């Protein structure tokens, strides 16, 4: 396993992103919408740096493996618990790869008439993009390699690693 982004680099970036987000939203109420399960650590660390006007909700899409390339359809496995109508929503993603999931979720959530809808993602693989996407706040751009850790899994393993690593064949 090759460490791509260290625990301390992640922590510094999360603090920096939170600072920008705090300035942009000021005292407005903000709903953080985490995409399960990959965004759990990013969302919780980010939330700790934001002010008191933050609430959290979660949404889960269907497993992307296989289905994505064949059907191009993203299904909702777990929907939000509460209405986002009239609220400022920040969608919290772990990684943007082809852009399919993000575009689908953005379209879906827009139909629910939030006051605003923005996206923060810890990682992005610009080289893998198939769908044009807008990421309002981004942590790191990474090469087109399969990464694990800090929420990201391989067959449900490695999510609890405190750093981001490239999974090698040997691992
Ligand atoms: P997209 O719809 O942008 O192609 O894919 C986004 C989702 O694919 C992410 O939320 C994540 O679940 C998964 N994914 C994409 N690249 C990686 C990767 O390098 N590692 C892991 N663990 N998941 C990835």
């Amino acid at each position: 396993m090759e460490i791509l982004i260290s625990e301390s680099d992640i922590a510094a970036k999360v603090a920096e992103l939170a600072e920008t987000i705090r300035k942009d939203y000021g005292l407005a109420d903000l709903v953080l919408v985490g995409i399960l399960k990959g965004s759990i650590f990013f969302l919780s660390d980010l939330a700790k740096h934001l002010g008191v006007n933050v609430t959290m909700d979660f949404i889960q899409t269907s497993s992307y493996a296989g289905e994505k390339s064949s059907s191009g359809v993203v299904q909702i496995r777990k929907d939000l618990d509460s209405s986002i109508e009239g609220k400022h929503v920040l969608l919290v993603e772990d990684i943007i790869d082809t852009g399919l999931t993000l575009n689908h979720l953005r379209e879906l959530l827009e139909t629910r008439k939030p006051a605003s809808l923005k996206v923060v993602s810890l990682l992005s693989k610009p080289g893998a993009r198939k769908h044009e996407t807008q990421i309002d706040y981004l942590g790191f751009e990474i090469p087109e390699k399969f990464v694990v850790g800090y929420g990201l899994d391989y067959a449900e393993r490695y999510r609890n690693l405190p750093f981001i690593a490239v999974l090698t064949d040997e691992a």
Side-chain angles (χ1 to χ4, degrees):
M1 203 174 282
E2 176 201 327
I3 295 183
L4 189 66
I5 309 170
S6 70
E7 189 174 1
S8 58
D9 284 353
I10 294 173
K13 184 62 81 176
V14 172
E16 187 189 311
L17 285 169
E19 184 60 28
T20 310
I21 292 166
R22 271 166 73 104
K23 280 188 187 140
D24 286 359
Y25 286 91
L27 295 174
D29 287 344
L30 177 61
V31 185
L32 296 179
V33 171
I35 303 170
L36 294 172
K37 303 175 189 168
S39 71
I40 50 168
F41 294 115
F42 180 40
L43 181 138
S44 44
D45 286 344
L46 193 66
K48 285 182 225 167
H49 289 279
L50 296 172
V52 286
N53 303 327
V54 164
T55 56
M56 296 172 224
D57 206 342
F58 294 91
I59 196 163
Q60 187 169 25
T61 58
S62 57
S63 174
Y64 69 104
E67 287 172 37
K68 195 170 66 178
S69 49
S70 55
S71 65
V73 170
V74 177
Q75 285 172 340
I76 302 300
R77 262 197 198 163
K78 185 225 167 280
D79 207 336
L80 299 176
D81 291 334
S82 307
S83 166
I84 53 166
E85 191 171 342
K87 298 186 174 163
H88 294 291
V89 173
L90 183 59
L91 202 50
V92 183
E93 255 285 30
D94 48 1
I95 185 165
I96 315 291
D97 189 23
T98 65
L100 177 72
T101 310
L102 176 60
N103 280 2
H104 179 80
L105 283 176
R106 201 194 268 277
E107 250 173 56
L108 175 77
L109 297 182
E110 285 288 8
T111 65
R112 300 180 183 181
K113 302 194 170 28
S116 70
L117 178 60
K118 286 189 178 183
V119 174
V120 58
S121 183
L122 181 68
L123 306 172
S124 170
K125 291 186 204 171
R129 204 74 87 243
K130 290 190 183 143
H131 306 266
E132 212 175 300
T133 48
Q134 190 195 328
I135 309 171
D136 301 284
Y137 306 98
L138 176 64
F140 303 94
E141 287 194 342
I142 60 165
E144 251 181 280
K145 291 185 175 170
F146 193 81
V147 292
V148 294
Y150 198 64
L152 288 157
D153 75 312
Y154 173 65
E156 292 300 325
R157 295 186 63 193
Y158 308 114
R159 286 194 202 279
N160 58 326
L161 295 176
F163 47 78
I164 304 276
V166 175
L167 202 59
T168 57
D169 289 344
E170 301 84 70

